Structure formats: structure tokens, C-alpha cells
Amino acid sequence: MTKITFIGAGSTIFMQNIVGDALLTPALADSHFALMDIDPQRLAESEAVARSMIRSVGAGATVSTHTDRRAALDGADFVITAFQVGGYKPCTITDFEIPKQYGLRQTIADTLGVGGIMRGLRTVPVLWDVAGDMMQLCPHATLLQYVNPMAINTWALAERFPSLKHVGLCHSVQNTVEELAHDLDLPKDEFRYKVAGVNHVAFFLKLEHQGRDLYPALRQGYHTGKFPKAPLLMPRCPNKVRYEVMDHLGYFCTESSEHLAEYVPWFIKDGRQDLIEEFSIPLDEYPTRCVEQVEMWKEQAKTLTDGRNIDVTRSHEFAADLMNAIVSNTPYMAYGNLPNTGQIPQLPMGAAVETPCLVDSNGVQPSVVTDIPPQLIALMRTQINVQELTVRALTEQNPEYIYHAAMMDPHTAAELDLRQIRNLVTDLLTAHNDWLPDWCRPARAA
């Protein structure tokens, strides 16, 4: 019996997607799912959903629940992480409200920028704890890492635990294909594409339908105002930023416009409300989304946890197909985030990069991509600068690198001067005091 451990199983909808996919996969349908979370109520809700799905599918899977992480990890074959250290309250609120006092506005704040840096400082130590337990309790298990900031987390895991089998997984590629198919009125399953870069700032280097390059149609549609259409996945977040970047840099980014807008210095600017309006940039989108999701879950929980069987359908997450490939030695291609050992030779070695990966019983094996245009490489390097300095702060326990990371962030540097950035970072470290490692708390970092 394959043991699949889910750390952060209180993320019930995400757990439902991954476990549901596994139950629909013959090689995984009889797995044991060890669900772990620090919130007993959310854990109980997830257990009820998992058991309802098992009954609905008629699979032979079993479930156990744990608030003790080591008990959940013991003997695991696969470990899935999906958690948010510090939660919406207080940490996400802090990551938005303090920068606002300096005139720095954000949209999502979970990947780059001061929000992404702070989330990395809170998250990496917990992931290191998980990895340390894995090396003792399930050293041959594969970690499927879904936590943001993805690139910082992946890089830091590899630095501290070089023998750990792990891959960072995201759904930005699948989501983008779905959005582009929606705009072009084409079946998404008929697209052929190649993507590479860093997580959330990777690009479609090739995008075709039945041998036809789709980029001319995308450019023409944007110039004539036909694209982007009303968004398919996020109603408040039209894809204007991504189309504008494509128009100037030549290629379409894998992450949504609300994300991309805060990774670059071109769209969110003090005194430029015209840019916010023209490109429909949803400032403070993530806090708004968090509140909505909490309310939505309250309604969903009533029906998902009442004991009725739950219809189980396939999601577009990579996890189940990836686990199936390893267990059954059935070759599969997924987009994965791994340390750069040469799969993108144009980017620094060791940086976390996203490329197509072959998965089979040998594990996750990245393919090599050597043809990324120089303007895209230049943009990716601006992201890697921030990621590397954050990882260096964590691995060397050097608080000064936290400040340097924020100083090198494209959006932050475009808005604030050096003294403002230093004061902002100190304020954030002070506010996050209880959620940070001792070495970077303000008394040490000042």
C-alpha cells in the first residue's frame, strides 16, 4: 500500500483535488492517506471529505489523521505540502498593510517583493523541519512541494538537504493554457507548447495548435482589442498585463496578470492611477480573495462534510499523475521546479528553475532548455536576485541579506529609496517577530 502524507491537509479543497485524482488513478486508488494539520477542526473536515470520496469511488484507500507531523510522515512514500505559515491573520494582513504605509502597493505578495520575502522567511524553516523529519522517517519518499514562495522554498530545500527527493509543483502552466484556449476558442488539449523559466516568470517559448504558431493570433487579437476576453478563472483579474508584456517582450508569461504586475517595475506606480485602470490591476487582491474563500468554505463545508458521497472528478494538478509515474514506471511529463544543475544553462546554477520533466520510476528528471531569448533571461535574473539573497539570508542566518533582497526587488526599488526600504523591512520584521527564526528578529536584524 502506497502511503501518501498530506502536510497542511486543512486546505480542504486542495486536498480534495489531489486525493480525488489519486483515487481515480488505479495504481494509487488503494493508498493510505495520512492527513496532517495543526487545526483539528479543519483536519476533521478534510477527513470527512476524503472518506466520502473513497466511498463514492469505491476504492480500497484508507485514511488517518494526525496533528503530530512525525507520525504522519513515518513510512511515507510521498509527502505533499500545502500550508501557509502565519495564515491570512495576522501575517498576510501584515505583509500588505505595512508596505502600504510607505506607499508600496501589492496584489498577491506571496512570491516576490517584500511580501514574498517575508513569506519565505516564515515558510522555509518549517519546510526544513519537514525535510529533516523525512530524512529520518521516510528517506526514500518524494516531496511534492506546493507552497509559495515556490522558487525560494525549492532553492532553500536543496541547499539544506541536497539528497532529498523533491519537486516544486504549480498549476500556472495549466491555468494559462486554459485561459489562452478560452481567448482563442480552441480546445486546450490540442495545444502543443514548451515552457521554461523560473516559477511564475516562465514563458511559453513555443505555443502551437495543429502545427500553427499561435503567437500571431494572440498579437493581432490584443492589438484589435479582441483579447483578452473576460477572464475565465479569476473574474476580477483580466489578463491585460500579460498581453502587454507579450507585446513588448514577445512571449506569454505563465503566471496571471495580478501576479506579474507586482514582479516588474512597469505597472504599479505611485501617482499612476491611469496604469492601474488601463491594465485592470487588482490591488490588494489576495486579502480580498482570502476573505471570500473563508466565507465560501463555510458554505461548502455544510455539504461536503455531511456524510453524503462526493462526485470525484479529475483536477489539472500534476501530483497524482507524477506519483503514478513513479509507482508504476509509466513515463509522464510534468512541469517541475528543481535546482538548476544545467537544465537552463543561461541561468545561475543552483537557482530554482521550471522546465519540462520526465517522471518515471527513476524519479523527476528535468529536460534541458537552451533557447530562452535574452530579454526573458534578463527578466528572470531580476527575480533570481531576490530569491538568492533571501535564501542566503536563511542559510547563512545573515539578516542584512533580507534588506538586500528587498532592495533588489524590481517593484520595491522602483517605488522606494534605500532608507525607506530599510525602514520598511525593519517594520515588517518587527511585526512578524513571533513567526520568524530568532536570528532575523528585529533585535538581531537592526
Side-chain angles (χ1 to χ4, degrees):
M1 178 179 285
T2 300
K3 182 176 180 179
I4 301 171
T5 296
F6 206 115
I7 306 296
S11 302
T12 305
I13 299 302
F14 189 70
M15 181 283 306
Q16 179 184 355
N17 288 338
I18 302 299
V19 172
D21 291 346
L23 293 173
L24 295 175
T25 303
L28 302 172
D30 294 335
S31 296
H32 176 73
F33 297 98
L35 308 181
M36 181 270 162
D37 203 276
I38 61 174
D39 184 330
Q41 179 180 342
R42 292 299 299 267
L43 184 59
E45 292 169 345
S46 291
E47 178 186 15
V49 171
R51 292 191 185 281
S52 293
M53 288 194 296
I54 292 169
R55 287 196 305 269
S56 179
V57 172
T62 56
V63 177
S64 62
T65 59
H66 309 267
T67 54
D68 181 281
R69 184 178 65 223
R70 289 179 62 86
L73 288 171
D74 193 13
D77 297 289
F78 298 98
V79 178
I80 299 166
T81 51
F83 52 76
Q84 182 181 349
V85 178
Y88 167 61
K89 291 181 181 180
C91 288
T92 294
I93 293 174
T94 299
D95 285 340
F96 276 83
E97 293 304 316
I98 290 179
K100 272 195 226 176
Q101 296 170 14
Y102 288 80
L104 186 65
R105 302 296 301 272
Q106 301 170 98
T107 52
I108 306 296
D110 71 351
T111 298
L112 211 70
V114 290
I117 293 166
M118 291 299 140
R119 187 178 283 221
L121 294 175
R122 299 192 300 267
T123 304
V124 166
V126 178
L127 284 172
W128 278 345
D129 287 345
V130 172
D133 287 345
M134 287 179 63
M135 299 309 292
Q136 294 179 22
L137 300 167
C138 51
H140 302 296
T142 300
L143 172 62
L144 311 183
Q145 209 283 107
Y146 273 98
V147 184
N148 280 322
M150 175 64 67
I152 289 171
N153 294 342
T154 301
W155 194 336
L157 278 168
E159 290 278 331
R160 179 64 64 89
F161 295 95
S163 64
L164 178 73
K165 293 192 287 187
H166 68 106
V167 60
L169 297 178
C170 182
H171 41 238
S172 59
V173 173
Q174 305 96 298
N175 283 353
T176 301
V177 170
E178 195 167 347
E179 290 281 7
L180 290 175
H182 169 65
D183 281 359
L184 292 162
D185 291 318
L186 293 171
K188 64 181 180 180
D189 294 337
E190 295 180 5
F191 279 25
R192 295 293 178 268
Y193 50 88
K194 181 173 74 171
V195 170
V198 297
N199 183 241
H200 287 194
V201 186
F203 287 84
F204 284 79
L205 306 177
K206 181 174 73 174
L207 183 64
E208 297 177 348
H209 176 255
Q210 296 181 348
R212 176 172 65 96
D213 181 7
L214 292 174
Y215 271 116
L218 291 177
R219 294 189 188 98
Q220 181 182 16
Y222 183 54
H223 292 160
T224 61
K226 182 180 178 182
F227 303 153
K229 294 180 181 177
L232 181 66
L233 300 176
M234 297 292 179
R236 284 190 300 270
C237 306
N239 261 321
K240 295 180 181 179
V241 167
R242 285 203 280 183
Y243 272 97
E244 181 73 2
V245 170
M246 178 200 70
D247 198 38
H248 290 275
L249 299 187
Y251 297 85
F252 208 86
C253 183
T254 54
E255 192 43 80
S256 58
S257 285
E258 67 268 23
H259 275 277
L260 183 57
E262 67 179 4
Y263 300 157
V264 296
W266 308 314
F267 295 98
I268 305 175
K269 291 179 172 293
D270 184 40
R272 292 298 305 274
Q273 185 63 25
D274 59 312
L275 292 174
I276 303 300
E277 294 173 359
E278 180 179 356
F279 293 103
S280 303
I281 297 170
L283 296 171
D284 298 326
E285 169 62 20
Y286 189 64
T288 302
R289 196 178 297 174
C290 286
V291 171
E292 291 174 348
Q293 287 174 343
V294 168
E295 292 305 312
M296 187 184 306
W297 171 245
K298 290 179 181 178
E299 294 302 315
Q300 289 177 318
K302 296 175 183 176
T303 56
L304 288 176
T305 63
D306 64 1
R308 287 179 289 180
N309 286 354
I310 297 172
D311 289 335
V312 181
T313 58
R314 280 271 181 184
S315 80
H316 62 193
E317 302 294 349
F318 289 130
D321 288 325
L322 189 151
M323 291 187 288
N324 175 67
I326 293 174
V327 168
S328 66
N329 196 30
T330 303
Y332 174 68
M333 194 286 290
Y335 279 91
N337 293 272
L338 294 166
N340 189 16
T341 57
Q343 61 265 45
I344 301 185
Q346 297 160 282
L347 292 176
M349 295 298 102
V353 296
E354 190 169 50
T355 62
C357 297
L358 170 67
V359 189
D360 58 19
S361 60
N362 294 310
V364 183
Q365 306 146 77
S367 62
V368 176
V369 179
T370 61
D371 57 351
I372 303 176
Q375 71 274 21
L376 304 184
I377 289 291
L379 178 57
M380 293 167 194
R381 284 176 180 150
T382 69
Q383 314 295 293
I384 289 173
N385 291 337
V386 181
Q387 295 157 4
E388 180 174 20
L389 285 163
T390 306
V391 172
R392 290 286 160 261
L394 286 155
T395 55
E396 299 179 24
Q397 298 189 1
N398 185 343
E400 192 65 14
Y401 288 149
I402 304 170
Y403 295 92
H404 296 162
M407 292 170 186
M408 298 303 157
D409 175 64
H411 174 44
T412 304
E415 292 292 286
L416 306 180
D417 64 40
L418 290 170
R419 292 179 183 179
Q420 287 176 309
I421 294 171
R422 183 167 289 276
N423 291 336
L424 168 58
V425 170
T426 297
D427 287 350
L428 284 166
L429 293 174
T430 300
H432 284 307
N433 184 70
D434 293 339
W435 297 95
L436 297 175
D438 289 343
W439 61 266
C440 66
R441 289 178 179 175
R444 295 284 304 276

